[in-house]
Amino acid sequence: MKRAKIIANKKIEIINVPEPCPGDNQIKVKIAYCGICGSDLEEFHKSGDFSHCFGHEISGVVTEIGKDITKFKIGDKVAVHSYEALGFSEYTVESEERCIKLADNVDLKEAALLEPLAVVLCGIRYCDFKIGDTVYVSGCGSIGLLAIQALQSFGARKIIAANRNEFRRNKAKEFGADYVLDPSDKSSEEIVAIVEKEVGEKVDFSLECAGVNASMLACNKVLKPGKTLCALGLSPEAMMLSPFQLFVRPGTWEPGVKIQGMTPFDINMFEVGARLINEKKVNPLEIVSKIFPLDNIQEAFDFTLDRNIPQIKNLIKM
Ligand SMILES: [Zn+2]
């Protein structure tokens, strides 16, 4: 079978490997689609053999089951949750607990987006979001955009979104943000002033989805005292916040903020995500920019890295 492998910095090749065989407690999945994630782009930038995790936003169909498998049958549609997966391949074998069974009518393109949606839902669930909260979403890539739709359906009162890129700001508006701003030429004080003007006060909840320092600072400063900053943006960049900014609001004795990542990952959120998609509350297909066949994966990654092309999420079709 075909599998994509990073062979050098920004160089991917399609190699031929034997089809994997499921163990007793494993399921063999014929992969339909796999999304390109920011973490895959990180791998793409390295050189040497880094194929321990490459492609983890996976949907497919069960083609074979191990003898101890009881919850799945051949022909089932599944999403796979594994951060050790090699999803840019024709087949994978996964243990039962890493596969999520989907309804027969599920679109497998949408199913490949369940993983980023589940990340968003974990963030919302574990970071103290409450109905009626006002929200600041910084970064409108796939995670930020899916979060805007999910937060809206969960009863956010007002959503302010920020992104440097005009295409993404327009998408955020389409996805339900009440107000969008361009943070590129603004200090965090200026961003706070805009948020206070639009919301009437600071916000109850902020979601960092850009993974850059300036965004983290803004997410901290737009929050009311004692509220939670949910950090979802991944990046190797170090985040610089002084302890003062966490303990107290600088210049006051008001309490600072809580910062929380989305862990622990909760696999049940795949089910919640599937329901939200089914009820049309979240429309992940609207973030898909382009679908490339596996043979063109090099082109797909070059395309994804090109910042001049307006785009959000690209998929590989096996
Ligand atoms: Zn991902």
Side-chain angles (χ1 to χ4, degrees), residues 35-40 55-57 83 112 115-116 119 142-143 234 313:
I36 299 176
C37 176
S39 62
D40 298 318
H56 60 270
E57 302 176 356
Y83 293 136
E115 192 277 333
V119 167
S142 353
I143 296 288
L234 287 180
K313 169 68 84 182

Side-chain angles (χ1 to χ4, degrees), residues 15 40 90 93 99 114 129 164 168 170 244 262 269 275-276 288 304-305 318:
I15 56 168
D40 298 318
E90 289 181 290
V93 294
C99 297
L114 277 172
F129 169 79
R164 292 169 177 213
R168 291 186 171 195
N170 290 336
F244 271 123
M262 65 87 180
M269 294 302 113
R275 211 197 63 216
L276 289 171
V288 175
T304 307
L305 272 185
M318 268 19 95

Side-chain angles (χ1 to χ4, degrees), residues 152-169:
Q152 198 185 37
S153 75
F154 295 150
R157 181 157 68 82
K158 201 150 207 180
I159 301 173
I160 311 292
N163 203 280
R164 292 169 177 213
N165 178 289
E166 192 188 1
F167 175 75
R168 291 186 171 195
R169 285 200 298 279

